């Protein structure tokens, strides 16, 4: 973290960091594609050491940048021997879907999944979202039940470019859910060419081997639908 400001209190077995920072740069050491620029980072982090374990906890860290805002709470347990374990919850708002690729954890999502997400999440805005991460990050995506990850977003005016050569789903009002290794998009409304969507679901069970499945209904001109299939 660069450009942090705040108040630091510490003792041999415990401490407290009260953040009140502006124009912060966060280097994720390769987890994300580029450093994250935050306009604001505020909140309090408490930590304590007990029986060979360091615990960091916060009731609320607020952050805001050009592409998103959010508030997060929870804790991190760091044993003297072994891997850190996270127990975090958060809320997002004002996320620009078209910029989501900048914040994908490219070291833990396989390249095929990253490539599909880069193309598919082509536009829209997230009006609200929630995040839960419980478990050791080293075991993500938790294929053997070592933890749980879920990020859920409510998207407005979304664009899903799900496969080359197929018509995009536009004007989506949808819930997008990442859960462990999978992705699910549940659309309440949208457009396919000039047809009105009457509910649709798109999903990938395994982002390492991204096979896209879509099921839904659309109402529109038969000529337009035939043209979409032909193209």
């Amino acid at each position: 973290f660069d450009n942090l400001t705040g108040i630091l209190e510490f003792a041999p077995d415990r401490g407290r960091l009260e953040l009140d920072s502006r124009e912060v740069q966060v280097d994720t050491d390769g987890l994300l594609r580029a450093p994250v620029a935050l306009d604001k980072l505020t909140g309090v982090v408490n930590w304590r050491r007990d029986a060979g374990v360091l615990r960091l906890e916060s009731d609320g860290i607020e952050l805001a940048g050009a592409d998103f805002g959010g508030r997060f709470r929870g804790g991190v347990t760091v044993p003297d021997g072994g891997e850190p374990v996270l127990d975090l919850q958060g809320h997002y708002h004002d996320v620009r879907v078209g910029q989501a690729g900048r914040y994908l954890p490219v070291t833990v999502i396989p390249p095929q999944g990253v490539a599909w997400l880069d193309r598919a999440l082509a536009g829209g805005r997230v009006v609200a979202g929630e995040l839960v991460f419980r478990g050791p990050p080293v075991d993500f995506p938790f294929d053997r039940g070592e933890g749980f990850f879920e990020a859920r977003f409510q998207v407005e005016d979304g664009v899903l470019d799900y496969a080359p050569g197929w018509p995009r789903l536009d004007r989506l009002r949808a819930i997008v859910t990442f859960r462990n290794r999978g992705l699910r998009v549940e659309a309440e409304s949208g457009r396919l060419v000039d047809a009105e969507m009457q509910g649709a679901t798109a999903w990938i069970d395994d982002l390492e081997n991204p096979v896209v499945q879509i099921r839904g209904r659309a109402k529109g001109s038969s000529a337009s639908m035939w043209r979409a299939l032909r193209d």
Side-chain angles (χ1 to χ4, degrees), residues 14-184:
R14 66 187 63 244
R16 171 184 172 92
L17 176 61
E18 185 174 343
L19 293 166
D20 186 10
S21 306
R22 302 293 186 274
E23 306 300 328
V24 178
Q25 293 284 326
V26 184
D27 183 353
T28 62
D29 193 28
L31 177 65
L32 306 183
R33 286 171 166 155
V36 177
L38 299 176
D39 299 328
K40 181 179 74 170
L41 178 62
T42 61
V44 175
V45 178
N46 295 290
W47 75 87
R48 68 182 187 279
R49 174 173 288 279
D50 181 33
V53 175
L54 177 65
R55 294 184 174 87
L56 299 92
E57 298 176 333
S58 177
D59 291 333
I61 297 290
E62 292 196 24
L63 51 87
D67 300 323
F68 67 95
R71 179 180 176 87
F72 301 88
R73 62 184 177 86
V76 182
T77 301
V78 186
D80 287 347
E83 298 291 341
V85 176
L86 277 63
D87 185 359
L88 302 177
Q89 300 179 53
H91 298 274
Y92 291 102
H93 57 83
D94 299 325
V95 180
R96 295 168 59 195
V97 175
Q99 297 297 316
R102 298 178 57 192
Y103 306 103
L104 294 175
V106 293
T107 59
V108 296
I109 298 178
Q112 302 97 316
V114 172
W116 185 85
L117 290 166
D118 278 345
R119 186 192 68 249
L121 302 179
R125 58 189 180 89
V126 173
V127 295
E130 298 180 349
L131 168 75
V132 176
F133 192 112
R134 296 191 180 102
V138 70
D139 291 328
F140 181 83
F142 307 131
D143 291 329
R144 293 180 294 276
E146 307 94 335
F148 177 76
F149 166 76
E150 182 176 276
R152 182 184 295 261
F153 307 102
Q154 180 181 338
V155 177
E156 301 283 351
D157 297 323
V159 178
L160 184 66
D161 187 6
Y162 53 90
W166 287 84
R168 306 192 311 180
L169 300 178
D170 294 308
R171 303 183 192 176
L172 286 177
R173 188 172 189 267
I175 300 295
V176 179
T177 304
F178 291 87
R179 181 176 296 150
N180 291 348
R181 189 180 285 276
L183 166 67
R184 192 173 187 88

